Structure formats: structure tokens, C-alpha cells
Amino acid sequence: DSLLLFLDGRLIRRRELSDRLGTAGDSPLLDILQAYRRWGVEFPRYLHGDFALGLWDAGNRRLVLARDTACYRPFHYWARGEQFLFTSEARGLFAHGDIPMVTNQRRIAQRLSRIPEMSGGTYFQGISSVPPGHTVVWERGRVTVRDFWQPCNVPQLRLRDPREYAEGLRSVLEAAVRDRIEDFSAVGSHLS
């Protein structure tokens, strides 16, 4: 129905999403498309996992890019008028041929000074990175960058006894690990 999805990553807590959408939950890709149909460009706020995704809505001539909150997956884009290109690595954009490889001196100086980059700037002029927990919407030649996640929106854990916080942390960590290994039969670890 004129929607095209590009996904690098995976979703966790899929049952929670499918219950909210009223779907069978058989396909995370179909659930992402259904989430877009229901919530529009706000749909990434309902996704959990490590992902970088691009969703093209041909009917509305809208492209939505989104990146998970922990920024596990790189995601870069370049826009000029009616042209919009995106890829995981910035260097992939230079394969197009029309994008000049010009360094972003300000970003390099910030990095050398250990100043964090919050706006999505990269080491190349004209090439941007989708910031973690943000969407980039390209519509009618205009780019809009918005956050869909803020740490201040995470509910605070309030327990009666200070000793319960250790168990609360253990519970949250166990759920996070369980969510991420549910599709795997073996688990390995490496410490250095």
C-alpha cells in the first residue's frame, strides 16, 4: 500500500508492540508498518530494540528515518532540495558521485576537544547523522529532525525500602537480557 521499509536491526519486546497494535506479532516488519499507519511519524517511540530504519511513504511522499536510543546502528544522510540519500556509513554516500568530500573542520575540532556532538554533525560537510532517539523526516524537500525519546520521560522507580532498589535493578537487568536473547539458543560472553 505504497509503504516501503528498510530496517537494519531488530526489535525486542515485540509481544508488547503487537498487543498494542492488535496484530499477531508474526512479523516485526509488518508491525513496524502497522505502527506507522496508526501513529504516523511518532511510531518510533513505540519501538524497542537496536535499529536504524527508513520508511518511505509514497502516498504522502514522505521519508522517515529513525535510530534507536542507544545508537547501536550508524545512520547517515545527505539532503539537497529534492534529492535525499541515506546509508549506514557516511562513506557510502560518496559512492553516489555528486557529494563533495569536504571535511567539517568544526566537528573535527569538537572531537579533538572532546566536545560531544548532539546535533547530528559528522566529519564531512553536508552529511548528517541521525541522532540517537530521533527521527528525520524528509517531506516536500524539507528536513525535520525531532526526538522521540528523552531520558526525562522515563518513569522514576520509587520503592518503599532502599534495599529494594538492588532487587529492582536486578529485575530490570534480567528483563533486558531476556528480551535480547530470546531468539538465540546459546549465549556467550567476553570480558577483557
Side-chain angles (χ1 to χ4, degrees):
D1 62 357
S2 76
L3 297 178
L4 181 63
L5 176 66
F6 302 91
L7 175 67
D8 177 21
R10 66 190 180 113
L11 297 183
I12 60 171
R13 296 167 50 187
R14 290 181 8 217
R15 175 59 45 206
E16 179 182 315
L17 178 63
S18 63
D19 287 349
R20 194 168 203 163
L21 292 168
T23 63
D26 296 332
S27 168
L29 301 176
L30 293 176
D31 282 347
I32 292 171
L33 294 173
Q34 185 61 29
Y36 174 74
R37 287 183 194 101
R38 173 158 312 163
W39 297 301
V41 297
E42 300 295 323
F43 78 99
R45 83 174 54 246
Y46 301 96
L47 306 180
H48 300 281
D50 55 314
F51 60 85
L53 65 83
L55 189 148
W56 171 243
D57 178 348
N60 291 307
R61 302 206 37 81
R62 174 189 302 143
L63 178 66
V64 180
L65 306 181
R67 191 171 178 204
D68 67 80
T69 58
C71 90
Y72 287 117
R73 313 285 177 159
F75 209 17
H76 297 83
Y77 66 94
W78 173 86
R80 183 174 61 197
E82 290 299 312
Q83 283 189 300
F84 191 99
L85 305 171
F86 65 92
T87 185
S88 57
E89 298 289 335
R91 65 180 173 219
L93 293 168
F94 297 120
H96 186 263
D98 289 344
I99 301 172
M101 189 183 294
V102 178
T103 57
N104 181 344
Q105 300 290 328
R106 180 185 170 132
R107 177 63 193 123
I108 292 169
Q110 286 175 325
R111 176 71 172 142
L112 292 173
S113 301
R114 297 188 177 261
I115 298 172
E117 173 56 50
M118 305 306 282
S119 66
T122 68
Y123 298 122
F124 303 102
Q125 286 185 18
I127 295 178
S128 298
S129 175
V130 179
H134 281 71
T135 57
V136 173
V137 178
W138 180 68
E139 197 169 18
R140 295 179 193 89
R142 185 170 166 240
V143 175
T144 306
V145 180
R146 295 182 6 200
D147 63 353
F148 63 82
W149 183 85
Q150 285 289 323
C152 60
N153 293 337
V154 175
Q156 289 189 357
L157 180 62
R158 301 261 189 225
L159 300 174
R160 288 174 272 141
D161 186 323
R163 294 172 289 200
E164 293 177 354
Y165 285 98
E167 184 55 39
L169 176 59
R170 181 179 290 113
S171 173
V172 169
L173 288 173
E174 286 174 354
V177 170
R178 187 175 47 255
D179 287 343
R180 283 158 181 81
I181 65 171
E182 69 181 348
D183 295 334
F184 301 101
S185 61
V187 177
S189 177
H190 179 286
L191 298 174
S192 62

